Amino acid sequence: SNPREYLIAGGFAGIVSRTFIAPIERVKILYQISKAPAAGGRTGYLRYIPQIYKTEGVLAFWKGNTAAVIRVVPYMSITFLSYEEYKVVFRAFGFQKDVVNVGSGMLAGMTAVCLTYPLDLVRARLAKQDLGVKSKKYNNMFDALVKIPWEQGRATGDGKMRIGALYRGLMATVIGEAPYAGLKFGCYEAMKRGLSEYWNIEEAELSPLIRVSCGALSGLMAVNVVYPFDVVRRRMQTHDGHQGLYKTPFHAIATIVREEGFKNGF
């Protein structure tokens, strides 16, 4: 009932979860942006772990986490707050409960992505640095936020700051985030409702462990559905050229499947 609670709880939850999974996230980004061979199997992602440790040290697993944490506070806060606000709107139109949860989740995810996207792009650029992928270009998050638009301006030849460079890959992210957030919230609410009915208790009485388990399972199911768009997002975010890497997210998927195969590419 208190919007401030959703903002604070969502932000704190985002900081804790993002920091814990930062090493996995960096390995995932490096793996996603590497191009698979057209024939044969792809080299496993585990090879990045000793490679990062030997060349950059333990703290390198958290490279880009500052940008991720700074982004995740408003991202998670906006997601949870707008989710509850959208639910009020959907209920006012008399939609069925599952439609309310999925629809509100989709809109909440899209809202949060659009408002915090530049920090997500910077996080991917920082994670890509070093490790033989690219020489170090950005000293920190703020340095990247300033340099990326100017780099795009120099690439186009007019030397002007191009703020749009900070939104490269936004469409792929929105297309992936909408069903991801919708499915995540929809499955989460359905699991809670199903378990509370099964045990004949109120949803508020479910233990934190049960809630975490429902959240983990719903996230797992949702991410598998939209994962190809996550690969496209990271490749578009980390592409430096003046011309876009792909024309559209769907062109990206078709190109990756054609050049790398579906299994290797995604």
Side-chain angles (χ1 to χ4, degrees):
S1 60
N2 186 349
R4 187 183 301 173
E5 290 181 0
Y6 287 107
L7 288 170
I8 296 173
F12 186 74
I15 291 173
V16 174
S17 60
R18 182 57 56 183
T19 301
F20 266 89
I21 70 166
I24 301 172
E25 183 71 10
R26 187 173 184 213
V27 169
K28 179 173 76 80
I29 290 173
L30 292 173
Y31 189 64
Q32 287 175 326
I33 64 178
S34 65
K35 195 169 183 179
R42 176 194 272 273
T43 306
Y45 61 87
L46 293 177
R47 66 188 170 93
Y48 286 108
I49 297 174
Q51 198 174 348
I52 293 172
Y53 177 72
K54 289 177 182 177
T55 59
E56 303 177 67
V58 174
L59 293 180
F61 286 102
W62 279 267
K63 181 171 287 185
N65 191 55
T66 300
V69 167
I70 291 176
R71 170 189 176 261
V72 85
V73 172
Y75 173 81
M76 293 295 287
S77 298
I78 292 168
T79 298
F80 280 102
L81 177 60
S82 59
Y83 174 64
E84 296 299 327
E85 296 300 322
Y86 284 130
K87 281 170 70 174
V88 173
V89 175
F90 272 89
R91 285 168 181 160
F93 283 94
F95 286 105
Q96 193 261 344
K97 195 169 187 178
D98 289 328
V99 175
V100 170
N101 293 333
V102 174
S104 300
M106 292 177 69
L107 291 175
M110 293 170 65
T111 302
V113 161
C114 291
L115 293 176
T116 63
Y117 187 77
L119 290 173
D120 187 44
L121 181 140
V122 167
R123 189 264 181 276
R125 292 286 183 96
L126 291 173
K128 181 183 178 180
Q129 284 193 150
D130 299 327
L131 202 65
V133 179
K134 183 175 288 298
S135 58
K136 189 172 182 180
K137 292 176 63 175
Y138 313 113
N139 297 320
N140 51 53
M141 177 192 70
F142 299 105
D143 186 44
L145 282 171
V146 173
K147 283 184 177 178
I148 291 171
W150 284 112
E151 287 171 358
Q152 184 69 11
R154 286 193 294 271
T156 57
D158 59 14
K160 295 180 180 179
M161 178 181 279
R162 301 284 183 176
I163 299 298
L166 293 172
Y167 291 87
R168 178 172 283 177
L170 175 62
M171 185 57 66
T173 306
V174 170
I175 292 173
E177 182 66 25
Y180 169 72
L183 289 170
K184 180 177 68 175
F185 279 108
C187 292
Y188 176 65
E189 297 289 356
M191 286 182 194
K192 287 195 304 175
R193 185 170 66 249
L195 289 174
S196 61
E197 290 175 356
Y198 179 77
W199 286 319
N200 196 26
I201 59 175
E202 296 293 326
E203 284 188 25
E205 298 178 64
L206 293 172
S207 69
L209 178 60
I210 295 298
R211 291 174 180 273
V212 168
S213 299
C214 290
L217 287 172
S218 60
L220 182 65
M221 289 186 285
V223 79
N224 276 286
V225 173
V226 302
Y227 187 74
F229 287 103
D230 193 47
V231 174
V232 171
R233 169 179 64 137
R234 292 308 187 190
R235 292 196 181 188
M236 295 178 78
Q237 286 177 337
T238 54
H239 177 63
D240 292 329
H242 165 47
Q243 296 295 330
L245 188 59
Y246 308 107
K247 296 176 182 177
T248 67
F250 298 102
H251 172 252
I253 290 176
T255 302
I256 292 171
V257 170
R258 184 179 67 251
E259 295 180 353
E260 305 172 50
F262 188 85
K263 183 178 179 182
N264 285 344
F266 295 112

